[in-house]
Amino acid sequence: MKWWLHVGLLCIPLLAVYLHIPPPQLSPVLNTWHSSGHFFTFRGNNIFYKESVGVVGSSDVLLLLHGFPTSSYDWYKIWDSLTQRFNRVIALDFLGFGFSDKPRLHRYSIFEQASVVEALVAHLGLSEQRINILSHDYGDTVALELLYRNDHNRSGHITINSLCLSNGGIFPETHYPRFVQKVLKDSGFISPVLTRLINFQLFSRGIRDVFGPYTQPTEAEFWDMWTGIRFNDGNLVIDSILQYINQRLKHRERWVGALTSTSTPLHMIYGPLDPVNPHPEFIQLYQKLVQRSTVSVLDEHVSHYPQLEDPTGFFNAYLSFINSF
């Protein structure tokens, strides 16, 4: 038997073991987040959400929409501050993310995620309430679909009181996905194999690049992000979720059109060191197209995750916007 055949036969069981590495255990802080949340059912899938009742005497409701590939836990650094301003603060894990179900062989779409959000608002009995939305990255595009439905008075739509976006690739022409994202979304039948080969080292190396050099997460924070992805085998559906990049291009007119035509109060909080939506290209286009919106550009060292990299600056920028109308 040839030597390379021996090596191949030896590698098969090793690869099999590697591909079935169990997900990491929840850290104490992630376990606390999980245990303080709730679930509701959307089309047979369990959706995780967390809700806090804050300021007494206020009826203001805030809905938080997270980015890719992370979860509602992205908001933990500003959660307590937000509960001191709003009566109800709500965050969910989109289908396929965080602690929510992650069905395989599923066609994930921005449209469905918007319907998940509408179903959550109805589940909480808030359909008649005016909702403030604060979103990030992937959540920005879900927010734009919700804005489109609101402005076109679609059945079951959320009534949006205000919308604040942050570092989302809402313009395909100024959006630069990471190399791994491009490979996974366009590799067809090879993608399921590639998703199994992603491990913590590859993940942390990739996501490290979208944080500023002086605003890097700790090793424990990287592990919490990775744990959220591995929960319910979420790494195996990343390629399907990544089709949102193609959806942004296909439906650009619908979503950018909603942004440019709405009368809803708008704000953009922007970390300018973002390699995915680079400065000044992204923010100049935003200000050109969305002239009704106000903009907060954070410190020059802040990158793609501004709410994690500069929580104080991010919160203050949002507070200034929300108190301005």
Side-chain angles (χ1 to χ4, degrees), residues 122-324:
H123 171 75
L124 294 173
L126 296 171
S127 297
E128 303 303 315
Q129 276 271 22
R130 297 184 65 83
I131 309 290
N132 300 287
I133 297 178
L134 174 56
S135 60
H136 171 244
D137 183 60
Y138 179 91
D140 282 7
T141 304
V142 178
L144 293 184
E145 172 57 22
L146 292 168
L147 186 66
Y148 178 90
R149 296 180 186 187
N150 173 75
D151 289 352
H152 288 77
N153 204 27
R154 293 294 175 89
S155 176
H157 73 85
I158 293 172
T159 303
I160 300 175
N161 189 55
S162 70
L163 173 58
C164 180
L165 309 168
S166 58
N167 286 79
I170 53 179
F171 306 121
E173 59 269 41
T174 62
H175 181 239
Y176 297 87
R178 311 310 291 162
F179 174 74
V180 172
Q181 291 180 315
K182 290 189 282 189
V183 169
L184 288 176
K185 79 179 180 68
D186 293 328
S187 293
F189 68 91
I190 302 174
S191 293
V193 177
L194 298 177
T195 57
R196 287 184 175 273
L197 294 175
I198 297 174
N199 58 19
F200 172 72
Q201 285 70 31
L202 287 172
F203 164 76
S204 59
R205 188 183 306 163
I207 203 160
R208 192 182 302 274
D209 291 342
V210 300
F211 283 81
Y214 306 111
T215 57
Q216 288 285 307
T218 64
E219 190 77 358
E221 288 169 335
F222 279 129
W223 271 107
D224 284 338
M225 292 178 190
W226 177 239
T227 301
I229 292 169
R230 284 297 317 274
F231 194 89
N232 286 340
D233 292 326
N235 56 308
L236 303 183
V237 300
I238 284 177
D239 56 323
S240 181
I241 291 173
L242 275 167
Q243 297 311 307
Y244 78 87
I245 296 174
N246 298 332
Q247 291 164 22
R248 278 175 172 167
L249 182 61
K250 182 177 180 180
H251 302 289
R252 182 193 184 281
E253 184 176 341
R254 178 186 179 99
W255 294 330
V256 175
L259 190 59
T260 57
S261 65
T262 190
S263 58
T264 298
L266 295 172
H267 192 65
M268 168 66 74
I269 303 177
Y270 178 60
L273 205 59
D274 187 356
V276 183
N277 307 287
H279 185 275
E281 186 181 355
F282 168 80
I283 204 66
Q284 285 178 349
L285 182 59
Y286 182 84
Q287 290 175 308
K288 176 184 176 183
L289 295 181
V290 197
Q291 296 181 2
R292 288 191 60 261
S293 176
T294 50
V295 172
S296 296
V297 178
L298 300 182
D299 184 90
E300 63 182 4
H301 301 301
V302 178
S303 185
H304 185 66
Y305 273 86
Q307 75 276 43
L308 291 174
E309 298 177 68
D310 183 13
T312 301
F314 186 96
F315 175 73
N316 287 339
Y318 184 62
L319 196 63
S320 177
F321 162 63
I322 208 71
N323 289 337
S324 68

